[in-house]
Amino acid sequence: MTDRLTHTQYADMLLASTEAMFASGKPLMSRILPEDGIAELWEHYPEGDVVNGPAGSRYFYHCHPPGERAEGEHGHFHLFFDRSAMPGGTVPLIAAPVDPRSEPRADVVHIAALAISEQGLPLQWFGTNRWVTDEWLYPAYAVIAMLDQFDLRGPNGDPLVNEWLTAMVGLAREEIAELLHARDDMLREADMHGQVHGEDRAVEITSAAPISLERLLEPA
């Protein structure tokens, strides 16, 4: 189990990884996208995703068509845990459908998505409906309790990107918690009215919150 880092340690990690990327002349997006900088719509970057650590911390980056992005967004990271990392006895609100005819799939729990601006800066956090990432959708409280275990540092992927994303999640625990609770509230409200919003293709984004790096870096 990963020891929880302090706010100061996460802030130092974010600043150090950002400075190292800048000093190398290879900023965040150039470490994610192909050499020509052109992202194919819906493709995962890097191919096969990045997975590290005992909790199966995972990410991929991709881009939606321009008409399906937030204003100023280039693309976004999706961040996950492996389902096997969830404590025993924790029951998902909505289970991922199991189709024996489908290709092998990742059994994942979605944490949040992190939108990146056209300038390569963090733009906003947002939560998604279950069908969007085909996740095992667990209650907000269960995912929030796991946030301390999100740690992408390891042998797979770009080390500085791994540190940067790890630090972003560590600094934004409160914002992510609010997104997860808002998602659960939406699903609860829908259930009360006999609706099944977890699979409703008309409901993609369940909640969103703009990012202020200055506020994230403020001492706790």
Side-chain angles (χ1 to χ4, degrees), residues 22 63 74 95 123 159 191 198-199 209:
F22 179 80
C63 300
H74 176 273
L123 183 64
D191 186 61
E199 307 306 317

Side-chain angles (χ1 to χ4, degrees), residues 48-64:
D49 305 352
V50 170
V51 185
N52 280 319
S57 301
R58 171 188 296 257
Y59 83 82
F60 67 80
Y61 183 87
H62 72 174
C63 300
H64 288 199

Side-chain angles (χ1 to χ4, degrees), residues 31-34 43-51 58-62 77 156-158 161-162 165:
R31 295 170 180 271
I32 298 295
L33 301 178
E43 287 293 320
H44 286 202
Y45 295 100
E47 183 179 357
D49 305 352
V50 170
V51 185
R58 171 188 296 257
Y59 83 82
F60 67 80
Y61 183 87
H62 72 174
F77 293 96
N156 301 313
D158 184 286
V161 175
N162 292 349
L165 288 170

